[in-house]
Coordinates of all heavy atoms in Angstrom, one line a residue:
M1 N 50.7 -35.3 -12.2 CA 50.7 -34.0 -12.8 C 51.5 -34.1 -14.2 O 52.4 -34.9 -14.3 CB 51.5 -33.0 -11.9 CG 51.4 -31.6 -12.4 SD 52.5 -30.5 -11.7 CE 51.9 -30.3 -10.0
I2 N 51.0 -33.4 -15.2 CA 51.6 -33.5 -16.5 C 52.9 -32.7 -16.6 O 53.1 -31.7 -15.9 CB 50.6 -33.0 -17.6 CG1 51.1 -33.4 -19.0 CG2 50.3 -31.5 -17.5 CD1 49.9 -33.6 -19.9
G3 N 53.8 -33.2 -17.4 CA 55.2 -32.6 -17.5 C 55.4 -31.8 -18.8 O 54.6 -31.9 -19.7
K4 N 56.4 -31.0 -18.7 CA 56.9 -30.3 -19.9 C 57.3 -31.2 -21.0 O 58.0 -32.2 -20.7 CB 58.0 -29.3 -19.6 CG 57.6 -28.0 -19.0 CD 58.8 -27.2 -18.5 CE 59.8 -26.9 -19.5 NZ 60.6 -25.7 -19.1
L5 N 57.1 -30.9 -22.2 CA 57.6 -31.7 -23.3 C 59.1 -31.5 -23.4 O 59.7 -30.4 -23.2 CB 57.0 -31.2 -24.7 CG 55.5 -31.5 -24.9 CD1 55.1 -30.9 -26.2 CD2 55.2 -33.0 -24.9
S6 N 59.8 -32.6 -23.8 CA 61.3 -32.4 -24.1 C 61.4 -31.6 -25.4 O 60.5 -31.4 -26.1 CB 61.8 -33.8 -24.4 OG 61.3 -34.3 -25.6
E7 N 62.7 -31.1 -25.6 CA 62.9 -30.3 -26.8 C 62.6 -31.0 -28.1 O 62.0 -30.4 -29.0 CB 64.4 -29.9 -26.8 CG 64.8 -28.7 -25.9 CD 64.0 -27.5 -26.2 OE1 63.9 -27.1 -27.4 OE2 63.5 -26.9 -25.3
E8 N 62.9 -32.3 -28.1 CA 62.6 -33.0 -29.3 C 61.1 -33.2 -29.5 O 60.6 -33.0 -30.6 CB 63.3 -34.4 -29.2 CG 63.3 -35.1 -30.6 CD 63.8 -36.5 -30.5 OE1 64.5 -36.9 -29.5 OE2 63.5 -37.3 -31.4
D9 N 60.4 -33.6 -28.5 CA 58.9 -33.8 -28.6 C 58.2 -32.4 -28.9 O 57.2 -32.4 -29.7 CB 58.3 -34.3 -27.3 CG 58.7 -35.8 -27.1 OD1 59.1 -36.4 -28.1 OD2 58.5 -36.3 -26.0
R10 N 58.8 -31.4 -28.4 CA 58.2 -30.0 -28.7 C 58.4 -29.7 -30.2 O 57.4 -29.2 -30.8 CB 59.0 -29.0 -27.8 CG 58.5 -27.6 -28.0 CD 59.6 -26.7 -27.3 NE 59.2 -25.3 -27.6 CZ 58.5 -24.5 -26.7 NH1 58.2 -24.9 -25.6 NH2 58.2 -23.3 -27.1
A11 N 59.6 -30.0 -30.7 CA 59.8 -29.7 -32.1 C 58.9 -30.5 -33.0 O 58.4 -30.0 -34.0 CB 61.3 -29.9 -32.4
V12 N 58.8 -31.8 -32.7 CA 57.9 -32.6 -33.5 C 56.4 -32.1 -33.4 O 55.8 -32.0 -34.5 CB 58.0 -34.1 -33.0 CG1 56.9 -35.0 -33.6 CG2 59.4 -34.7 -33.2
A13 N 56.0 -31.8 -32.3 CA 54.6 -31.3 -32.1 C 54.4 -30.0 -32.8 O 53.3 -29.8 -33.5 CB 54.3 -31.2 -30.6
L14 N 55.3 -29.1 -32.8 CA 55.1 -27.8 -33.4 C 55.1 -27.9 -34.9 O 54.6 -27.0 -35.6 CB 56.2 -26.8 -32.9 CG 56.0 -26.4 -31.4 CD1 57.0 -25.3 -31.0 CD2 54.5 -25.9 -31.2
A15 N 55.8 -28.9 -35.5 CA 55.8 -29.1 -36.9 C 54.4 -29.3 -37.5 O 54.1 -29.0 -38.6 CB 56.8 -30.2 -37.3
D16 N 53.6 -29.8 -36.6 CA 52.2 -30.1 -37.0 C 51.2 -28.9 -36.7 O 50.0 -29.0 -36.9 CB 51.6 -31.3 -36.2 CG 51.8 -32.6 -37.0 OD1 52.1 -32.5 -38.2 OD2 51.7 -33.6 -36.3
L17 N 51.8 -27.8 -36.1 CA 51.0 -26.7 -35.8 C 51.6 -25.4 -36.4 O 52.1 -24.5 -35.7 CB 50.9 -26.5 -34.2 CG 50.1 -27.6 -33.5 CD1 50.4 -27.5 -32.0 CD2 48.6 -27.5 -33.8
P18 N 51.6 -25.3 -37.7 CA 52.4 -24.3 -38.4 C 51.9 -22.9 -38.1 O 52.6 -21.9 -38.3 CB 52.2 -24.6 -39.9 CG 51.0 -25.5 -40.0 CD 51.0 -26.3 -38.7
Q19 N 50.6 -22.8 -37.7 CA 50.1 -21.4 -37.4 C 50.3 -20.9 -36.0 O 50.0 -19.8 -35.7 CB 48.6 -21.4 -37.8 CG 48.4 -21.9 -39.2 CD 47.0 -21.7 -39.7 OE1 46.7 -20.6 -40.1 NE2 46.1 -22.7 -39.6
W20 N 51.0 -21.7 -35.2 CA 51.3 -21.4 -33.8 C 52.7 -21.0 -33.7 O 53.6 -21.6 -34.3 CB 50.9 -22.5 -32.9 CG 49.4 -22.8 -32.8 CD1 48.7 -23.5 -33.8 CD2 48.5 -22.4 -31.8 NE1 47.4 -23.5 -33.4 CE2 47.2 -22.8 -32.2 CE3 48.7 -21.6 -30.6 CZ2 46.1 -22.6 -31.4 CZ3 47.5 -21.4 -29.9 CH2 46.3 -21.8 -30.3
T21 N 53.0 -20.0 -32.9 CA 54.4 -19.5 -32.7 C 54.8 -19.8 -31.3 O 54.1 -19.6 -30.3 CB 54.3 -17.9 -32.9 OG1 53.8 -17.7 -34.2 CG2 55.7 -17.3 -32.7
S22 N 56.1 -20.1 -31.1 CA 56.7 -20.4 -29.8 C 56.8 -19.0 -29.1 O 57.2 -18.0 -29.6 CB 58.1 -21.0 -29.9 OG 58.0 -22.3 -30.1
V23 N 56.5 -19.1 -27.8 CA 56.7 -17.9 -26.9 C 57.6 -18.3 -25.8 O 57.5 -19.5 -25.3 CB 55.3 -17.5 -26.3 CG1 55.4 -16.4 -25.3 CG2 54.3 -17.1 -27.4
A24 N 58.5 -17.4 -25.4 CA 59.5 -17.8 -24.4 C 59.0 -17.6 -23.0 O 59.3 -18.3 -22.1 CB 60.8 -17.0 -24.6
E25 N 58.2 -16.5 -22.8 CA 57.8 -16.1 -21.4 C 56.4 -15.6 -21.4 O 56.2 -14.5 -21.9 CB 58.8 -15.1 -20.9 CG 58.6 -14.7 -19.4 CD 58.5 -15.9 -18.5 OE1 59.4 -16.8 -18.5 OE2 57.6 -15.9 -17.7
P26 N 55.4 -16.3 -20.9 CA 55.5 -17.6 -20.3 C 55.8 -18.6 -21.4 O 55.3 -18.4 -22.6 CB 54.2 -17.9 -19.7 CG 53.2 -17.0 -20.4 CD 54.0 -15.8 -20.8
E27 N 56.5 -19.7 -21.2 CA 56.8 -20.7 -22.2 C 55.6 -21.3 -22.7 O 54.8 -22.0 -21.9 CB 57.8 -21.7 -21.6 CG 58.3 -22.7 -22.7 CD 58.9 -23.9 -22.1 OE1 60.0 -23.8 -21.5 OE2 58.3 -25.0 -22.1
G28 N 55.3 -21.2 -24.0 CA 54.1 -21.7 -24.6 C 54.1 -21.5 -26.1 O 55.1 -21.3 -26.7
I29 N 52.8 -21.5 -26.6 CA 52.6 -21.2 -28.0 C 51.4 -20.3 -28.1 O 50.5 -20.3 -27.3 CB 52.3 -22.5 -28.8 CG1 51.2 -23.4 -28.2 CG2 53.6 -23.4 -28.9 CD1 50.8 -24.6 -29.0
S30 N 51.5 -19.4 -29.2 CA 50.4 -18.5 -29.4 C 50.0 -18.5 -30.8 O 50.7 -18.8 -31.8 CB 50.9 -17.1 -29.0 OG 51.9 -16.6 -29.9
R31 N 48.7 -18.0 -31.0 CA 48.2 -17.8 -32.3 C 47.2 -16.7 -32.3 O 46.4 -16.6 -31.3 CB 47.5 -19.1 -32.9 CG 47.0 -18.9 -34.3 CD 46.4 -20.2 -34.9 NE 45.7 -19.8 -36.1 CZ 44.9 -20.5 -36.8 NH1 44.7 -21.8 -36.5 NH2 44.3 -20.1 -37.9
R32 N 47.1 -15.8 -33.3 CA 46.1 -14.8 -33.4 C 45.0 -15.2 -34.4 O 45.4 -15.8 -35.5 CB 46.8 -13.5 -34.0 CG 45.8 -12.4 -34.4 CD 46.5 -11.1 -34.5 NE 46.8 -10.5 -33.2 CZ 47.4 -9.3 -33.0 NH1 47.6 -8.6 -34.0 NH2 47.7 -8.9 -31.8
F33 N 43.8 -15.0 -34.0 CA 42.6 -15.4 -34.9 C 41.9 -14.1 -35.2 O 41.7 -13.2 -34.3 CB 41.7 -16.3 -34.1 CG 42.3 -17.6 -33.8 CD1 43.1 -17.8 -32.6 CD2 42.2 -18.7 -34.6 CE1 43.7 -19.0 -32.3 CE2 42.7 -20.0 -34.3 CZ 43.5 -20.1 -33.2
T34 N 41.5 -13.9 -36.4 CA 40.8 -12.7 -36.8 C 39.4 -13.1 -37.5 O 39.4 -14.0 -38.3 CB 41.6 -11.9 -37.8 OG1 42.9 -11.6 -37.2 CG2 41.0 -10.5 -38.1
F35 N 38.4 -12.4 -37.1 CA 37.0 -12.7 -37.6 C 36.5 -11.4 -38.2 O 37.1 -10.4 -38.2 CB 36.2 -13.2 -36.4 CG 36.8 -14.4 -35.7 CD1 37.7 -14.3 -34.7 CD2 36.4 -15.6 -36.2 CE1 38.3 -15.4 -34.1 CE2 37.0 -16.8 -35.6 CZ 37.9 -16.6 -34.6
I36 N 35.3 -11.6 -38.8 CA 34.7 -10.4 -39.5 C 34.3 -9.3 -38.5 O 34.3 -8.2 -38.8 CB 33.6 -10.7 -40.5 CG1 32.5 -11.5 -39.8 CG2 34.1 -11.4 -41.7 CD1 31.2 -11.6 -40.6
D37 N 33.9 -9.7 -37.3 CA 33.4 -8.7 -36.3 C 33.5 -9.3 -34.9 O 33.9 -10.4 -34.7 CB 32.0 -8.3 -36.7 CG 31.0 -9.4 -36.7 OD1 31.3 -10.5 -36.3 OD2 29.9 -9.2 -37.3
F38 N 33.0 -8.6 -34.0 CA 33.0 -9.0 -32.6 C 32.2 -10.2 -32.3 O 32.6 -11.1 -31.6 CB 32.5 -7.8 -31.7 CG 32.5 -8.3 -30.2 CD1 33.6 -8.4 -29.5 CD2 31.2 -8.5 -29.6 CE1 33.6 -8.8 -28.1 CE2 31.2 -8.9 -28.3 CZ 32.3 -9.0 -27.5
V39 N 31.1 -10.3 -33.0 CA 30.2 -11.5 -32.8 C 30.9 -12.8 -33.2 O 30.8 -13.8 -32.6 CB 28.8 -11.3 -33.5 CG1 28.0 -12.6 -33.5 CG2 28.1 -10.2 -32.9
G40 N 31.6 -12.7 -34.4 CA 32.4 -13.8 -34.8 C 33.5 -14.2 -33.8 O 33.7 -15.4 -33.5
A41 N 34.2 -13.2 -33.3 CA 35.3 -13.5 -32.3 C 34.7 -14.1 -31.1 O 35.2 -15.0 -30.5 CB 36.0 -12.2 -32.0
F42 N 33.6 -13.5 -30.6 CA 33.1 -13.9 -29.3 C 32.4 -15.3 -29.4 O 32.5 -16.1 -28.5 CB 32.1 -12.9 -28.7 CG 32.0 -13.0 -27.2 CD1 33.0 -12.5 -26.4 CD2 31.0 -13.7 -26.6 CE1 32.9 -12.7 -25.0 CE2 30.9 -13.9 -25.3 CZ 31.8 -13.4 -24.4
G43 N 31.8 -15.6 -30.6 CA 31.3 -16.9 -30.8 C 32.4 -18.0 -30.7 O 32.2 -19.0 -30.1
F44 N 33.5 -17.7 -31.4 CA 34.7 -18.5 -31.3 C 35.1 -18.7 -29.9 O 35.4 -19.9 -29.5 CB 35.8 -17.9 -32.2 CG 37.1 -18.6 -32.1 CD1 37.4 -19.8 -32.6 CD2 38.2 -17.9 -31.4 CE1 38.7 -20.4 -32.4 CE2 39.4 -18.4 -31.3 CZ 39.7 -19.7 -31.8
M45 N 35.2 -17.7 -29.2 CA 35.7 -17.8 -27.8 C 34.8 -18.7 -26.9 O 35.2 -19.4 -26.1 CB 35.8 -16.4 -27.1 CG 36.9 -15.6 -27.7 SD 37.0 -13.9 -27.0 CE 37.9 -14.2 -25.5
T46 N 33.5 -18.6 -27.2 CA 32.5 -19.4 -26.5 C 32.7 -20.9 -26.8 O 32.7 -21.7 -25.9 CB 31.1 -19.0 -26.9 OG1 30.9 -17.6 -26.6 CG2 30.0 -19.8 -26.1
R47 N 33.0 -21.2 -28.1 CA 33.3 -22.6 -28.4 C 34.6 -23.1 -27.8 O 34.7 -24.2 -27.3 CB 33.2 -22.7 -29.9 CG 31.9 -22.4 -30.5 CD 31.7 -22.9 -32.0 NE 32.7 -22.4 -32.9 CZ 32.6 -21.2 -33.5 NH1 31.6 -20.4 -33.3 NH2 33.5 -20.9 -34.4
V48 N 35.6 -22.2 -27.8 CA 36.9 -22.6 -27.2 C 36.7 -22.8 -25.7 O 37.2 -23.7 -25.1 CB 38.0 -21.5 -27.5 CG1 39.2 -21.8 -26.6 CG2 38.3 -21.5 -28.9
A49 N 35.9 -21.9 -25.0 CA 35.7 -22.0 -23.6 C 35.1 -23.4 -23.2 O 35.4 -24.0 -22.2 CB 34.8 -20.9 -23.1
I50 N 34.1 -23.8 -24.0 CA 33.5 -25.1 -23.8 C 34.5 -26.3 -23.9 O 34.6 -27.1 -23.0 CB 32.3 -25.3 -24.7 CG1 31.2 -24.3 -24.3 CG2 31.7 -26.7 -24.6 CD1 30.1 -24.1 -25.3
L51 N 35.3 -26.2 -25.0 CA 36.4 -27.2 -25.1 C 37.3 -27.2 -23.9 O 37.7 -28.2 -23.4 CB 37.3 -26.8 -26.3 CG 36.9 -27.3 -27.7 CD1 38.1 -26.8 -28.7 CD2 36.8 -28.8 -27.8
A52 N 37.8 -26.0 -23.6 CA 38.8 -25.8 -22.5 C 38.2 -26.3 -21.2 O 39.0 -27.0 -20.4 CB 39.1 -24.3 -22.4
E53 N 37.0 -26.1 -20.9 CA 36.4 -26.5 -19.6 C 36.3 -28.0 -19.6 O 36.6 -28.7 -18.6 CB 35.1 -25.8 -19.4 CG 34.4 -26.1 -18.1 CD 35.3 -25.7 -16.9 OE1 36.3 -24.9 -17.0 OE2 35.0 -26.2 -15.8
K54 N 35.9 -28.6 -20.7 CA 35.8 -30.1 -20.8 C 37.2 -30.7 -20.6 O 37.3 -31.8 -20.0 CB 35.3 -30.5 -22.2 CG 33.8 -30.6 -22.3 CD 33.4 -31.2 -23.6 CE 31.9 -31.0 -23.8 NZ 31.5 -30.8 -25.3
A55 N 38.2 -30.1 -21.2 CA 39.6 -30.6 -21.1 C 40.3 -30.2 -19.8 O 41.4 -30.7 -19.5 CB 40.4 -30.1 -22.3
D56 N 39.6 -29.4 -19.0 CA 40.2 -28.8 -17.8 C 41.6 -28.2 -18.1 O 42.6 -28.4 -17.4 CB 40.3 -29.9 -16.7 CG 40.7 -29.2 -15.3 OD1 40.3 -28.1 -15.1 OD2 41.3 -29.9 -14.5
H57 N 41.6 -27.5 -19.2 CA 42.9 -26.9 -19.6 C 42.5 -25.6 -20.3 O 41.7 -25.6 -21.3 CB 43.7 -27.8 -20.6 CG 45.1 -27.3 -20.7 ND1 46.0 -27.4 -19.7 CD2 45.8 -26.8 -21.8 CE1 47.1 -26.9 -20.1 NE2 47.1 -26.6 -21.3
H58 N 43.0 -24.5 -19.8 CA 42.4 -23.2 -20.1 C 43.4 -22.2 -20.8 O 44.6 -22.2 -20.3 CB 41.8 -22.5 -18.8 CG 40.8 -23.4 -18.2 ND1 41.2 -24.4 -17.3 CD2 39.5 -23.5 -18.3 CE1 40.1 -25.0 -16.9 NE2 39.0 -24.5 -17.5
P59 N 43.0 -21.5 -21.8 CA 43.9 -20.6 -22.5 C 44.2 -19.3 -21.7 O 43.3 -18.8 -20.9 CB 43.2 -20.3 -23.8 CG 41.7 -20.4 -23.4 CD 41.7 -21.5 -22.4
E60 N 45.3 -18.6 -21.9 CA 45.5 -17.2 -21.6 C 45.1 -16.5 -22.9 O 45.6 -16.9 -24.0 CB 46.9 -16.9 -21.2 CG 47.4 -17.6 -20.0 CD 48.7 -17.2 -19.4 OE1 49.2 -16.1 -19.8 OE2 49.3 -17.9 -18.6
W61 N 44.2 -15.6 -22.9 CA 43.8 -15.0 -24.1 C 43.3 -13.5 -23.9 O 43.0 -13.1 -22.8 CB 42.7 -15.8 -24.8 CG 41.5 -16.2 -24.0 CD1 41.1 -15.7 -22.8 CD2 40.4 -17.0 -24.4 NE1 39.9 -16.3 -22.4 CE2 39.5 -17.1 -23.4 CE3 40.2 -17.7 -25.6 CZ2 38.3 -17.8 -23.5 CZ3 39.0 -18.5 -25.7 CH2 38.1 -18.5 -24.6
S62 N 43.2 -12.8 -25.0 CA 42.6 -11.5 -25.0 C 41.8 -11.3 -26.3 O 42.1 -12.0 -27.3 CB 43.7 -10.4 -24.8 OG 44.5 -10.4 -25.9
N63 N 40.9 -10.4 -26.2 CA 40.0 -10.1 -27.4 C 39.9 -8.6 -27.5 O 39.8 -7.8 -26.6 CB 38.6 -10.7 -27.1 CG 37.5 -10.0 -27.9 OD1 36.6 -9.5 -27.4 ND2 37.6 -10.1 -29.3
V64 N 40.2 -8.1 -28.8 CA 39.9 -6.7 -29.1 C 39.0 -6.8 -30.4 O 39.5 -7.2 -31.4 CB 41.2 -5.9 -29.4 CG1 40.9 -4.5 -29.8 CG2 42.1 -5.9 -28.1
Y65 N 37.8 -6.4 -30.3 CA 36.8 -6.4 -31.4 C 36.8 -7.7 -32.1 O 36.2 -8.6 -31.6 CB 37.1 -5.2 -32.3 CG 36.1 -5.1 -33.5 CD1 34.7 -5.1 -33.2 CD2 36.6 -5.0 -34.8 CE1 33.8 -5.1 -34.3 CE2 35.6 -4.9 -35.8 CZ 34.3 -5.0 -35.6 OH 33.4 -5.0 -36.6
N66 N 37.4 -7.8 -33.3 CA 37.3 -9.0 -34.1 C 38.5 -9.9 -34.0 O 38.7 -10.8 -34.8 CB 37.1 -8.6 -35.6 CG 38.3 -8.0 -36.2 OD1 39.1 -7.4 -35.5 ND2 38.5 -8.0 -37.5
R67 N 39.4 -9.6 -33.0 CA 40.7 -10.3 -32.9 C 40.7 -11.1 -31.6 O 40.3 -10.5 -30.5 CB 41.7 -9.3 -32.9 CG 43.1 -9.8 -33.1 CD 44.1 -8.6 -33.3 NE 44.4 -8.0 -32.1 CZ 44.5 -6.7 -31.9 NH1 44.2 -5.8 -32.9 NH2 44.8 -6.2 -30.7
V68 N 41.2 -12.3 -31.6 CA 41.4 -13.1 -30.4 C 42.9 -13.6 -30.4 O 43.3 -14.2 -31.4 CB 40.5 -14.3 -30.3 CG1 40.7 -15.1 -29.1 CG2 39.0 -13.8 -30.4
D69 N 43.6 -13.2 -29.4 CA 45.0 -13.7 -29.2 C 45.0 -14.8 -28.1 O 44.5 -14.5 -27.0 CB 45.9 -12.6 -28.8 CG 46.2 -11.6 -30.0 OD1 46.4 -12.1 -31.1 OD2 46.1 -10.4 -29.8
I70 N 45.5 -15.9 -28.5 CA 45.5 -17.1 -27.5 C 47.0 -17.5 -27.2 O 47.8 -17.7 -28.2 CB 44.8 -18.3 -28.1 CG1 43.3 -17.9 -28.3 CG2 44.9 -19.5 -27.2 CD1 42.4 -19.1 -28.8
L71 N 47.3 -17.7 -26.0 CA 48.5 -18.3 -25.5 C 48.2 -19.5 -24.8 O 47.4 -19.5 -23.9 CB 49.3 -17.3 -24.6 CG 50.6 -17.9 -24.0 CD1 51.8 -17.8 -24.9 CD2 50.9 -17.4 -22.7
L72 N 48.9 -20.6 -25.2 CA 48.7 -21.9 -24.5 C 50.0 -22.2 -23.7 O 51.0 -22.2 -24.3 CB 48.3 -23.0 -25.4 CG 47.0 -22.8 -26.3 CD1 46.8 -24.0 -27.2 CD2 45.8 -22.6 -25.3
T73 N 49.8 -22.5 -22.4 CA 50.9 -22.9 -21.6 C 50.3 -23.7 -20.5 O 49.1 -23.6 -20.2 CB 51.7 -21.6 -21.0 OG1 52.8 -22.1 -20.2 CG2 50.8 -20.8 -20.1
T74 N 51.1 -24.6 -19.9 CA 50.6 -25.4 -18.8 C 51.2 -24.9 -17.5 O 52.4 -25.0 -17.2 CB 51.0 -26.9 -19.0 OG1 50.4 -27.3 -20.2 CG2 50.5 -27.7 -17.8
H75 N 50.4 -24.2 -16.7 CA 50.9 -23.6 -15.5 C 51.4 -24.6 -14.5 O 52.5 -24.4 -13.9 CB 49.7 -22.8 -14.8 CG 49.1 -21.8 -15.8 ND1 47.8 -21.9 -16.3 CD2 49.6 -20.7 -16.3 CE1 47.6 -20.9 -17.1 NE2 48.6 -20.1 -17.2
D76 N 50.8 -25.8 -14.4 CA 51.2 -26.8 -13.5 C 52.6 -27.3 -13.8 O 53.3 -27.8 -13.0 CB 50.2 -28.0 -13.5 CG 48.8 -27.6 -13.0 OD1 48.7 -26.5 -12.4 OD2 47.9 -28.3 -13.2
A77 N 53.0 -27.2 -15.1 CA 54.3 -27.8 -15.6 C 55.3 -26.7 -15.8 O 56.5 -27.0 -16.0 CB 54.1 -28.6 -16.9
G78 N 54.9 -25.4 -15.8 CA 55.8 -24.3 -16.0 C 56.3 -24.3 -17.4 O 57.5 -23.9 -17.7
G79 N 55.5 -24.7 -18.4 CA 55.9 -24.7 -19.8 C 54.9 -25.4 -20.7 O 53.7 -25.5 -20.3
L80 N 55.4 -25.8 -21.8 CA 54.6 -26.4 -22.8 C 54.4 -27.9 -22.6 O 55.4 -28.6 -22.5 CB 55.2 -26.2 -24.2 CG 54.3 -26.5 -25.4 CD1 53.2 -25.5 -25.6 CD2 55.1 -26.7 -26.7
S81 N 53.2 -28.4 -22.5 CA 52.9 -29.8 -22.3 C 52.0 -30.4 -23.4 O 51.5 -29.6 -24.3 CB 52.2 -30.1 -21.0 OG 50.8 -29.7 -21.1
Q82 N 51.8 -31.7 -23.4 CA 51.0 -32.3 -24.4 C 49.6 -31.7 -24.4 O 48.9 -31.7 -25.4 CB 51.0 -33.8 -24.2 CG 50.3 -34.6 -25.3 CD 50.9 -34.4 -26.7 OE1 52.1 -34.4 -26.8 NE2 50.1 -34.2 -27.7
R83 N 49.1 -31.3 -23.2 CA 47.8 -30.7 -23.1 C 47.6 -29.4 -24.0 O 46.6 -29.2 -24.5 CB 47.5 -30.3 -21.7 CG 47.2 -31.5 -20.8 CD 46.5 -31.0 -19.5 NE 46.5 -32.2 -18.6 CZ 46.5 -32.1 -17.3 NH1 46.4 -30.9 -16.7 NH2 46.5 -33.2 -16.6
D84 N 48.7 -28.6 -24.1 CA 48.7 -27.5 -24.9 C 48.6 -27.9 -26.4 O 47.9 -27.2 -27.2 CB 49.9 -26.6 -24.7 CG 50.0 -26.2 -23.2 OD1 49.1 -25.6 -22.7 OD2 51.1 -26.5 -22.6
I85 N 49.4 -28.9 -26.7 CA 49.4 -29.4 -28.1 C 48.0 -29.9 -28.5 O 47.4 -29.5 -29.6 CB 50.4 -30.5 -28.3 CG1 51.8 -30.0 -27.9 CG2 50.4 -31.1 -29.7 CD1 52.3 -28.8 -28.7
D86 N 47.4 -30.6 -27.6 CA 46.0 -31.2 -27.9 C 45.0 -30.1 -28.0 O 44.1 -30.1 -28.9 CB 45.6 -32.2 -26.8 CG 46.5 -33.4 -26.7 OD1 47.2 -33.7 -27.7 OD2 46.5 -34.1 -25.7
L87 N 45.1 -29.1 -27.1 CA 44.1 -28.0 -27.2 C 44.3 -27.2 -28.4 O 43.3 -26.7 -29.1 CB 44.2 -27.1 -25.9 CG 43.1 -26.0 -25.8 CD1 41.7 -26.6 -25.8 CD2 43.3 -25.3 -24.4
A88 N 45.6 -26.9 -28.8 CA 45.8 -26.2 -30.1 C 45.2 -26.9 -31.3 O 44.6 -26.2 -32.1 CB 47.3 -26.0 -30.2
H89 N 45.3 -28.2 -31.3 CA 44.7 -28.9 -32.5 C 43.2 -28.8 -32.4 O 42.5 -28.6 -33.5 CB 45.1 -30.4 -32.4 CG 46.5 -30.6 -33.0 ND1 46.8 -30.5 -34.3 CD2 47.7 -31.0 -32.4 CE1 48.1 -30.7 -34.6 NE2 48.6 -31.1 -33.4
A90 N 42.6 -28.9 -31.2 CA 41.2 -28.8 -31.1 C 40.7 -27.4 -31.5 O 39.7 -27.2 -32.1 CB 40.7 -29.1 -29.7
I91 N 41.5 -26.3 -31.1 CA 41.1 -25.0 -31.5 C 41.2 -24.8 -33.0 O 40.4 -24.2 -33.6 CB 42.0 -24.0 -30.7 CG1 41.7 -24.0 -29.2 CG2 41.9 -22.6 -31.3 CD1 42.6 -23.2 -28.3
D92 N 42.3 -25.3 -33.6 CA 42.5 -25.2 -35.0 C 41.3 -25.8 -35.7 O 40.8 -25.3 -36.8 CB 43.8 -25.9 -35.5 CG 45.0 -25.0 -35.3 OD1 44.9 -23.8 -34.9 OD2 46.1 -25.5 -35.6
A93 N 40.8 -26.9 -35.2 CA 39.7 -27.7 -35.9 C 38.4 -26.8 -35.8 O 37.6 -26.8 -36.7 CB 39.5 -29.0 -35.2
L94 N 38.3 -26.0 -34.8 CA 37.1 -25.1 -34.6 C 37.2 -23.9 -35.6 O 36.2 -23.4 -36.1 CB 37.1 -24.5 -33.2 CG 36.4 -25.2 -32.1 CD1 36.4 -24.3 -30.9 CD2 35.0 -25.6 -32.5
A95 N 38.4 -23.4 -35.8 CA 38.6 -22.1 -36.4 C 38.7 -22.3 -37.9 O 38.3 -21.4 -38.7 CB 39.9 -21.4 -35.9
D96 N 39.4 -23.4 -38.4 CA 39.7 -23.4 -39.8 C 38.7 -24.2 -40.7 O 37.9 -24.9 -40.2 CB 41.1 -24.0 -40.0 CG 42.2 -23.2 -39.3 OD1 42.0 -22.0 -39.1 OD2 43.1 -23.9 -38.8
Ligands
H2B1 C1 43.0 -27.9 -10.7 C2 43.0 -27.8 -12.2 O1 42.9 -29.1 -12.8 C3 44.3 -27.1 -12.7 O2 44.4 -25.9 -12.1 C4 44.3 -27.0 -14.2 C5 43.2 -26.1 -14.8 N1 43.5 -25.5 -16.1 C6 44.8 -25.3 -16.4 N2 45.0 -24.7 -17.5 C7 46.3 -24.4 -17.9 N3 46.5 -23.8 -19.0 N4 47.3 -24.9 -17.2 C8 47.2 -25.6 -16.1 O3 48.1 -25.9 -15.4 C9 45.8 -25.8 -15.6 N5 45.6 -26.5 -14.6

């Protein structure tokens, strides 16, 4: 099973993810994505869902019209793990 990142590894990893914000509860990272409309938002979610299923690592997320809020946390570890960092980079590559 994958473990939580140490404080130091977490800080190093987050320096490379400037658009993601630390969340205390559940411990993880979050980012808001905004699109022109619902179709843009849902298309993005479809692409993230395929990534997430391939990685066997799944976001906590919500969608309201053109907005998608994503929280990444590792349930098995009870906090932030390398899997969250890897998925955040993959999501950024899709979005930006
Ligand atoms: C059995 C399966 O591998 C696990 O339940 C996976 C699936 N997706 C997951 N996603 C997330 N975000 N955290 C997990 O701990 C997790 N565990």
Side-chain angles (χ1 to χ4, degrees):
M1 191 195 289
I2 192 149
K4 274 172 62 159
L5 291 176
S6 68
E7 279 304 313
E8 192 186 341
D9 288 346
R10 181 190 172 99
V12 169
L14 290 183
D16 268 347
L17 292 167
Q19 306 193 82
W20 294 78
T21 302
S22 277
V23 174
E25 185 52 49
E27 185 193 290
I29 53 174
S30 69
R31 184 178 166 187
R32 171 165 287 183
F33 297 85
T34 307
F35 301 88
I36 53 168
D37 58 13
F38 176 74
V39 171
F42 203 80
F44 167 71
M45 292 177 81
T46 304
R47 297 196 302 278
V48 171
I50 291 165
L51 272 185
E53 188 55 17
K54 273 190 192 145
D56 192 27
H57 197 65
H58 303 87
E60 295 190 19
W61 56 3
S62 63
N63 159 240
V64 177
Y65 181 50
N66 66 337
R67 192 172 80 222
V68 180
D69 287 315
I70 297 185
L71 174 87
L72 300 179
T73 183
T74 300
H75 305 111
D76 296 344
L80 191 75
S81 77
Q82 188 60 43
R83 284 195 194 156
D84 301 304
I85 302 303
D86 294 345
L87 186 56
H89 281 292
I91 292 171
D92 277 356
L94 275 185
D96 301 328

